[in-house]
Amino acid sequence: MQIKALRMINNLTLTFNGNTTQKPQSVYTVHATAPSCETYFLDAHEASDEQHTTQWVTDKLLKTVHSVGEGNWGATCSDSTNVTKAGCHELISIVSTMLDLCDAVHHLHNTIGDINKLPKLKFEHNLAGNDEPVKALEKIGKTCFGTYWTAANALDLCLPHIHNLVVAKSIKFKNMKIQEKYNEFEQSLLQYITIVAPIIQSLWSLEAAHANASNIFIFWLAIIAMLNDLFSKGPDVTGIPVSLSHEVMAIINKQYFYFVAFALDPRYPKSDFLKKPTSNTTIIVIPVLSQRTG
């Protein structure tokens, strides 16, 4: 029934992703998303004993594409592993009507990952610990760098209680260097939470089924605007050094998403975001010829 319904819809988007179950088993899932933002689960490929090559991924995707019809598809999107990216490129080379859309959520995770590497924010990453699980804290994912923020935020809520217990001598750190650097750690943690907050909030929003390419550009503008407002307050107010704010903005400015999709979105008339010319005359200034260089 699903395939029959999808054959009546054009401009479908094919999405796929690899996951590992608790058993563990390796499973690739494939979905179709219609222009109405309705999502259909189409296939799941168990591949625990197979090598996940580009050809393997491409063959599985083509099977799904052909089951509906090549002419119904408009785009494909996956996470940004080497194999899945290569699979996307191979697919669109075969089905030329499909566009290869980047995984903006994955790029935002990588942006957070780049911020995590900044020396001024490089505190202990294993916030949840390796010994016994602490229910109040959050675990960190291997490639989902946004989980560093959720772990940091959970720890921040616990820090006052930890501080009080240490002062009351109810607990003590095995490593005294940690206790000596408590204030420095707390400040670094707060700076990190404040800086990454607009990125992680945008990331969560863009995981919604109704998010589209135009929304990605709008959220990216919102991230830049919020960080610009934060850093413009100055280090005396925020406690964030100017050098750190410059490093963060350098990372942010490396990314640029979907301006064309935004410009083509009928919800945003061009007059709202493109500067109108002040006159109908275009003035072109030709510099004077240099006698030395000709």
Side-chain angles (χ1 to χ4, degrees), residues 26-28 46-57 83:
S26 178
V27 179
Y28 271 75
E46 199 278 326
S48 301
D49 300 324
E50 299 182 65
Q51 188 174 4
H52 303 166
T53 63
T54 300
Q55 189 61 51
W56 185 90
V57 171
V83 172

Side-chain angles (χ1 to χ4, degrees), residues 35-240:
S36 61
C37 295
E38 293 179 307
T39 300
Y40 301 81
F41 171 73
L42 295 182
D43 286 307
H45 304 287
E46 199 278 326
S48 301
D49 300 324
E50 299 182 65
Q51 188 174 4
H52 303 166
T53 63
T54 300
Q55 189 61 51
W56 185 90
V57 171
T58 305
D59 289 344
K60 301 303 180 185
L61 297 179
L62 281 172
K63 178 185 175 183
T64 303
V65 167
H66 291 151
S67 68
V68 177
E70 288 189 12
N72 297 83
W73 299 96
T76 183
C77 183
S78 73
D79 60 1
S80 297
T81 65
N82 291 332
V83 172
T84 54
K85 284 195 297 184
C88 279
H89 294 160
E90 187 67 22
L91 178 63
I92 64 172
S93 71
I94 298 170
V95 186
S96 57
T97 56
M98 298 181 73
L99 297 174
D100 183 6
L101 304 180
C102 77
D103 179 6
V105 169
H106 188 85
H107 282 291
L108 287 175
H109 273 299
N110 287 345
T111 299
I112 296 172
D114 289 339
I115 292 174
N116 291 349
K117 297 174 185 176
L118 293 177
K120 294 183 179 65
L121 292 175
K122 201 170 184 180
F123 48 85
E124 178 59 46
H125 283 165
N126 189 15
L127 300 176
N130 284 326
D131 300 326
E132 296 181 6
V134 182
K135 292 183 179 179
L137 303 184
E138 299 286 339
K139 289 188 176 181
I140 294 173
K142 291 182 179 179
T143 58
C144 296
F145 299 111
T147 55
Y148 282 86
W149 186 91
T150 54
N153 190 58
L155 178 59
D156 182 58
L157 298 175
C158 297
L159 278 183
H161 304 289
I162 296 173
H163 179 266
N164 293 337
L165 290 170
V166 172
V167 171
K169 297 183 179 181
S170 298
I171 62 172
K172 64 179 180 179
F173 294 106
K174 292 181 179 179
N175 187 344
M176 294 305 296
K177 290 183 179 179
I178 297 177
Q179 189 166 331
E180 293 169 2
K181 293 186 176 182
Y182 176 85
N183 291 335
E184 179 184 339
F185 174 81
E186 185 178 32
Q187 183 183 30
S188 177
L189 190 69
L190 181 59
Q191 290 173 358
Y192 177 81
I193 291 170
T194 305
I195 291 170
V196 176
I199 306 175
I200 192 68
Q201 289 165 0
S202 297
L203 187 156
W204 291 336
S205 299
L206 290 172
E207 286 180 332
H210 284 67
N212 58 36
S214 175
N215 297 140
I216 295 168
F217 183 78
I218 293 169
F219 273 98
W220 193 250
L221 291 181
I223 291 170
I224 295 172
M226 291 181 70
L227 289 177
N228 184 65
D229 288 346
L230 172 66
F231 296 145
S232 65
K233 295 176 182 178
D236 292 339
V237 176
T238 63
I240 300 172

